[in-house]
Amino acid sequence: MKKVLVTIIVMVVVMAAAALGVIYGGAYDVAASTSDSPLVRWALTTTRENAVKREAQGIEVPESVHQPDQALLRRGFVHYDDMCVTCHAAPGVDPGEIRAGLNPKPPRLARRASKRSLAELFWVSKHGIRMTGMPAWGETHSDEELWAVVAFVKHLPKLSAQEYAAMREQADNAGHQHEGHAH
């Protein structure tokens, strides 16, 4: 029994030393231009997906977001068009240059929004996701504003390129109000 315990302790010490060697030696390639190995990609993606699901549990979705009216969708659109389209694109709108340099690539929400619950979209919008380029918009926006964005993101897959362009033109003509936020 003593030999087994000593062997386990030695293995833990060796693994800790190896981990510290990688950490302090800069041996892991952190460049955004380098793709992760399939194993690392799986570990990071699985961790992210399960963490978002866990964190979103218990978030109460306002009734207005379940059945959004046009005013809420317009409000969400203004924020989405200012803050999100550069990385996540939109129907008829290609993402900006920033997206090309991000690793992992942000999802195109017109295609992927249906895969997340309203609570998950809210949690991600409010808290962001480390090491992905997804900011924590809860630092600069109220929950009410973020729920408007969530309502719009859920509506996004239903929009055509022409409808998105019409919303953009309508917002531009209305003066694109930002409720005091500088975007």
Side-chain angles (χ1 to χ4, degrees), residues 10-174:
V10 168
M11 286 176 53
V12 167
V13 168
V14 168
M15 288 172 38
L20 288 172
V22 169
I23 292 167
Y24 284 104
Y28 187 78
D29 184 359
V30 297
S33 58
T34 303
S35 295
D36 293 319
S37 70
L39 178 62
V40 170
R41 185 175 32 258
W42 170 83
L44 293 174
T45 301
T46 303
T47 300
R48 180 184 66 235
E49 295 303 310
N50 289 323
V52 168
K53 283 179 184 171
R54 183 179 55 81
E55 293 292 340
Q57 289 177 353
I59 292 176
E60 283 196 43
V61 179
E63 192 57 41
S64 62
V65 177
H66 286 289
Q67 299 292 324
D69 61 17
Q70 288 303 311
L72 185 64
L73 292 175
R74 272 193 305 277
R75 190 171 177 204
F77 166 81
V78 169
H79 288 290
Y80 183 89
D81 198 51
D82 282 343
M83 303 179 320
C84 310
V85 76
T86 297
C87 295
H88 295 290
V93 181
D94 288 331
E97 292 178 352
I98 291 172
R99 184 179 192 278
L102 292 175
N103 181 8
K105 294 283 182 250
R108 289 180 178 255
L109 292 177
R111 296 180 194 152
R112 301 271 316 275
S114 61
K115 293 186 182 347
R116 287 226 186 262
S117 71
L118 293 166
E120 290 170 348
L121 289 170
F122 176 79
W123 188 89
V124 170
S125 298
K126 183 170 183 164
H127 299 284
I129 299 179
R130 284 186 210 166
M131 299 180 74
T132 66
M134 179 62 202
W137 293 116
E139 300 291 317
T140 56
H141 292 73
S142 69
D143 285 359
E144 188 176 290
E145 291 166 319
L146 294 175
W147 280 118
V149 173
V150 167
F152 179 75
V153 166
K154 267 303 202 186
H155 184 71
L156 191 60
K158 300 173 190 168
L159 292 177
S160 68
Q162 295 79 13
E163 290 168 320
Y164 191 90
M167 290 182 85
R168 184 178 263 176
E169 185 176 327
Q170 197 175 39
D172 288 345
N173 291 339

